[in-house]
mmCIF file of all heavy atoms in Angstrom:
data_model
loop_
_atom_site.group_PDB
_atom_site.id
_atom_site.type_symbol
_atom_site.label_atom_id
_atom_site.label_comp_id
_atom_site.label_asym_id
_atom_site.label_seq_id
_atom_site.Cartn_x
_atom_site.Cartn_y
_atom_site.Cartn_z
ATOM 1 N N VAL A 53 3.998 0.849 -1.433
ATOM 2 C CA VAL A 53 5.416 1.062 -0.933
ATOM 3 C C VAL A 53 5.241 1.897 0.306
ATOM 4 O O VAL A 53 4.181 2.556 0.564
ATOM 5 C CB VAL A 53 6.368 1.735 -1.921
ATOM 6 C CG1 VAL A 53 6.471 0.811 -3.190
ATOM 7 C CG2 VAL A 53 5.885 3.154 -2.372
ATOM 8 N N ARG A 54 6.284 1.968 1.126
ATOM 9 C CA ARG A 54 6.232 2.755 2.377
ATOM 10 C C ARG A 54 7.612 3.421 2.603
ATOM 11 O O ARG A 54 8.675 2.899 2.116
ATOM 12 C CB ARG A 54 5.809 2.002 3.523
ATOM 13 C CG ARG A 54 6.866 0.932 3.977
ATOM 14 C CD ARG A 54 6.180 0.042 5.002
ATOM 15 N NE ARG A 54 7.153 -1.030 5.459
ATOM 16 C CZ ARG A 54 6.896 -2.038 6.244
ATOM 17 N NH1 ARG A 54 5.582 -2.145 6.777
ATOM 18 N NH2 ARG A 54 7.784 -2.853 6.622
ATOM 19 N N GLN A 55 7.627 4.487 3.369
ATOM 20 C CA GLN A 55 8.851 5.127 3.703
ATOM 21 C C GLN A 55 8.823 5.689 5.177
ATOM 22 O O GLN A 55 7.862 6.434 5.462
ATOM 23 C CB GLN A 55 9.115 6.271 2.825
ATOM 24 C CG GLN A 55 10.411 6.960 2.937
ATOM 25 C CD GLN A 55 10.873 7.950 1.888
ATOM 26 O OE1 GLN A 55 10.034 8.543 1.228
ATOM 27 N NE2 GLN A 55 12.139 8.127 1.652
ATOM 28 N N ALA A 56 9.710 5.232 5.949
ATOM 29 C CA ALA A 56 9.839 5.719 7.307
ATOM 30 C C ALA A 56 10.857 6.923 7.293
ATOM 31 O O ALA A 56 11.629 7.015 6.385
ATOM 32 C CB ALA A 56 10.400 4.626 8.216
ATOM 33 N N PRO A 57 10.754 7.764 8.282
ATOM 34 C CA PRO A 57 11.611 8.952 8.333
ATOM 35 C C PRO A 57 13.128 8.533 8.285
ATOM 36 O O PRO A 57 13.567 7.637 8.984
ATOM 37 C CB PRO A 57 11.262 9.570 9.677
ATOM 38 C CG PRO A 57 9.854 9.174 9.970
ATOM 39 C CD PRO A 57 9.801 7.766 9.340
ATOM 40 N N GLY A 58 13.810 9.144 7.371
ATOM 41 C CA GLY A 58 15.291 8.914 7.230
ATOM 42 C C GLY A 58 15.635 7.706 6.559
ATOM 43 O O GLY A 58 16.820 7.235 6.481
ATOM 44 N N LYS A 59 14.676 6.844 6.070
ATOM 45 C CA LYS A 59 14.905 5.610 5.470
ATOM 46 C C LYS A 59 14.460 5.706 3.940
ATOM 47 O O LYS A 59 13.642 6.469 3.561
ATOM 48 C CB LYS A 59 14.184 4.504 6.153
ATOM 49 C CG LYS A 59 14.717 4.249 7.541
ATOM 50 C CD LYS A 59 14.112 3.034 8.179
ATOM 51 C CE LYS A 59 14.760 2.763 9.536
ATOM 52 N NZ LYS A 59 14.223 1.502 10.159
ATOM 53 N N PRO A 60 15.019 4.782 3.103
ATOM 54 C CA PRO A 60 14.550 4.792 1.739
ATOM 55 C C PRO A 60 13.214 4.174 1.621
ATOM 56 O O PRO A 60 12.657 3.442 2.485
ATOM 57 C CB PRO A 60 15.639 3.827 1.025
ATOM 58 C CG PRO A 60 16.151 2.966 2.136
ATOM 59 C CD PRO A 60 16.103 3.767 3.413
ATOM 60 N N VAL A 61 12.692 4.341 0.388
ATOM 61 C CA VAL A 61 11.327 3.768 0.090
ATOM 62 C C VAL A 61 11.494 2.239 0.079
ATOM 63 O O VAL A 61 12.442 1.613 -0.447
ATOM 64 C CB VAL A 61 10.818 4.220 -1.247
ATOM 65 C CG1 VAL A 61 9.559 3.501 -1.667
ATOM 66 C CG2 VAL A 61 10.610 5.761 -1.202
ATOM 67 N N GLU A 62 10.499 1.571 0.747
ATOM 68 C CA GLU A 62 10.551 0.114 0.890
ATOM 69 C C GLU A 62 9.318 -0.485 0.129
ATOM 70 O O GLU A 62 8.153 -0.046 0.384
ATOM 71 C CB GLU A 62 10.534 -0.346 2.321
ATOM 72 C CG GLU A 62 10.448 -1.847 2.558
ATOM 73 C CD GLU A 62 10.184 -2.248 3.949
ATOM 74 O OE1 GLU A 62 9.938 -1.341 4.852
ATOM 75 O OE2 GLU A 62 10.238 -3.473 4.239
ATOM 76 N N TRP A 63 9.506 -1.396 -0.708
ATOM 77 C CA TRP A 63 8.406 -2.119 -1.357
ATOM 78 C C TRP A 63 7.706 -2.939 -0.407
ATOM 79 O O TRP A 63 8.288 -3.695 0.405
ATOM 80 C CB TRP A 63 8.946 -2.914 -2.586
ATOM 81 C CG TRP A 63 7.895 -3.862 -3.109
ATOM 82 C CD1 TRP A 63 6.803 -3.462 -3.830
ATOM 83 C CD2 TRP A 63 7.935 -5.218 -2.990
ATOM 84 N NE1 TRP A 63 6.113 -4.647 -4.152
ATOM 85 C CE2 TRP A 63 6.724 -5.728 -3.704
ATOM 86 C CE3 TRP A 63 8.753 -6.254 -2.491
ATOM 87 C CZ2 TRP A 63 6.382 -7.044 -3.846
ATOM 88 C CZ3 TRP A 63 8.434 -7.546 -2.612
ATOM 89 C CH2 TRP A 63 7.278 -8.002 -3.240
ATOM 90 N N VAL A 64 6.380 -2.933 -0.417
ATOM 91 C CA VAL A 64 5.521 -3.691 0.567
ATOM 92 C C VAL A 64 4.793 -4.836 -0.162
ATOM 93 O O VAL A 64 4.892 -5.990 0.251
ATOM 94 C CB VAL A 64 4.516 -2.756 1.159
ATOM 95 C CG1 VAL A 64 3.563 -3.485 2.055
ATOM 96 C CG2 VAL A 64 5.169 -1.638 1.971
ATOM 97 N N PRO A 102 5.754 -1.821 15.368
ATOM 98 C CA PRO A 102 6.291 -0.385 15.250
ATOM 99 C C PRO A 102 7.024 -0.194 13.944
ATOM 100 O O PRO A 102 6.992 0.992 13.431
ATOM 101 C CB PRO A 102 7.101 -0.360 16.500
ATOM 102 C CG PRO A 102 6.524 -1.327 17.445
ATOM 103 C CD PRO A 102 6.031 -2.496 16.593
ATOM 104 N N GLU A 103 7.706 -1.193 13.477
ATOM 105 C CA GLU A 103 8.507 -1.050 12.278
ATOM 106 C C GLU A 103 7.674 -0.934 10.977
ATOM 107 O O GLU A 103 8.189 -0.653 9.930
ATOM 108 C CB GLU A 103 9.537 -2.172 12.125
ATOM 109 C CG GLU A 103 9.010 -3.541 12.218
ATOM 110 C CD GLU A 103 9.121 -4.151 13.599
ATOM 111 O OE1 GLU A 103 8.887 -3.433 14.613
ATOM 112 O OE2 GLU A 103 9.439 -5.331 13.720
ATOM 113 N N ASP A 104 6.356 -1.053 11.098
ATOM 114 C CA ASP A 104 5.490 -0.853 9.961
ATOM 115 C C ASP A 104 5.088 0.641 9.897
ATOM 116 O O ASP A 104 4.420 1.022 8.904
ATOM 117 C CB ASP A 104 4.196 -1.708 10.196
ATOM 118 C CG ASP A 104 4.398 -3.198 10.116
ATOM 119 O OD1 ASP A 104 5.247 -3.601 9.295
ATOM 120 O OD2 ASP A 104 3.791 -3.989 10.885
ATOM 121 N N SER A 105 5.474 1.386 10.832
ATOM 122 C CA SER A 105 5.151 2.811 10.779
ATOM 123 C C SER A 105 5.856 3.497 9.580
ATOM 124 O O SER A 105 6.958 3.147 9.261
ATOM 125 C CB SER A 105 5.588 3.459 12.116
ATOM 126 O OG SER A 105 4.871 2.994 13.258
ATOM 127 N N GLY A 106 5.142 4.451 9.012
ATOM 128 C CA GLY A 106 5.666 5.200 7.922
ATOM 129 C C GLY A 106 4.559 5.752 6.987
ATOM 130 O O GLY A 106 3.388 5.625 7.274
ATOM 131 N N LEU A 107 5.016 6.401 5.940
ATOM 132 C CA LEU A 107 4.030 6.933 4.954
ATOM 133 C C LEU A 107 3.966 5.907 3.938
ATOM 134 O O LEU A 107 4.898 5.443 3.350
ATOM 135 C CB LEU A 107 4.666 8.198 4.493
ATOM 136 C CG LEU A 107 3.694 9.218 3.843
ATOM 137 C CD1 LEU A 107 2.658 9.641 4.798
ATOM 138 C CD2 LEU A 107 4.509 10.511 3.494
ATOM 139 N N TYR A 108 2.654 5.529 3.662
ATOM 140 C CA TYR A 108 2.333 4.470 2.686
ATOM 141 C C TYR A 108 1.740 5.144 1.404
ATOM 142 O O TYR A 108 0.918 6.021 1.469
ATOM 143 C CB TYR A 108 1.345 3.521 3.294
ATOM 144 C CG TYR A 108 1.927 2.545 4.207
ATOM 145 C CD1 TYR A 108 2.358 2.982 5.487
ATOM 146 C CD2 TYR A 108 1.981 1.216 3.916
ATOM 147 C CE1 TYR A 108 2.883 2.025 6.350
ATOM 148 C CE2 TYR A 108 2.550 0.325 4.820
ATOM 149 C CZ TYR A 108 3.004 0.712 6.024
ATOM 150 O OH TYR A 108 3.492 -0.250 6.842
ATOM 151 N N TYR A 109 2.369 4.623 0.271
ATOM 152 C CA TYR A 109 1.983 5.137 -0.984
ATOM 153 C C TYR A 109 1.463 3.987 -1.918
ATOM 154 O O TYR A 109 2.000 2.861 -1.814
ATOM 155 C CB TYR A 109 3.168 5.831 -1.755
ATOM 156 C CG TYR A 109 3.833 6.910 -1.032
ATOM 157 C CD1 TYR A 109 4.834 6.657 -0.124
ATOM 158 C CD2 TYR A 109 3.426 8.237 -1.241
ATOM 159 C CE1 TYR A 109 5.551 7.734 0.499
ATOM 160 C CE2 TYR A 109 4.082 9.283 -0.562
ATOM 161 C CZ TYR A 109 5.102 8.972 0.265
ATOM 162 O OH TYR A 109 5.771 9.986 0.971
ATOM 163 N N THR A 122 -0.439 8.060 2.922
ATOM 164 C CA THR A 122 -1.180 8.063 4.171
ATOM 165 C C THR A 122 -0.327 7.544 5.179
ATOM 166 O O THR A 122 0.384 6.537 5.075
ATOM 167 C CB THR A 122 -2.479 7.279 4.032
ATOM 168 O OG1 THR A 122 -3.342 7.365 5.141
ATOM 169 C CG2 THR A 122 -2.239 5.798 3.726
ATOM 170 N N GLN A 123 -0.369 8.215 6.367
ATOM 171 C CA GLN A 123 0.509 7.960 7.481
ATOM 172 C C GLN A 123 0.026 6.798 8.321
ATOM 173 O O GLN A 123 -1.165 6.863 8.761
ATOM 174 C CB GLN A 123 0.733 9.162 8.351
ATOM 175 C CG GLN A 123 1.595 9.008 9.537
ATOM 176 C CD GLN A 123 3.105 8.726 9.147
ATOM 177 O OE1 GLN A 123 3.650 9.326 8.208
ATOM 178 N NE2 GLN A 123 3.720 7.824 9.860
ATOM 179 N N VAL A 124 0.900 5.836 8.628
ATOM 180 C CA VAL A 124 0.579 4.737 9.648
ATOM 181 C C VAL A 124 1.541 4.854 10.728
ATOM 182 O O VAL A 124 2.784 4.970 10.571
ATOM 183 C CB VAL A 124 0.724 3.410 8.879
ATOM 184 C CG1 VAL A 124 0.613 2.344 9.900
ATOM 185 C CG2 VAL A 124 -0.380 3.278 7.798
ATOM 186 N N THR A 125 1.022 4.924 11.981
ATOM 187 C CA THR A 125 1.867 4.946 13.129
ATOM 188 C C THR A 125 1.435 3.794 14.069
ATOM 189 O O THR A 125 0.285 3.751 14.449
ATOM 190 C CB THR A 125 1.728 6.354 13.855
ATOM 191 O OG1 THR A 125 1.978 7.453 13.012
ATOM 192 C CG2 THR A 125 2.655 6.369 15.057
#
Side-chain angles (χ1 to χ4, degrees):
V53 299
R54 66 187 180 189
Q55 188 170 26
K59 294 189 176 182
V61 174
E62 177 189 8
W63 170 66
V64 174
E103 51 265 42
D104 294 319
S105 297
L107 203 54
Y108 282 70
Y109 303 90
T122 187
Q123 178 69 40
V124 172
T125 303

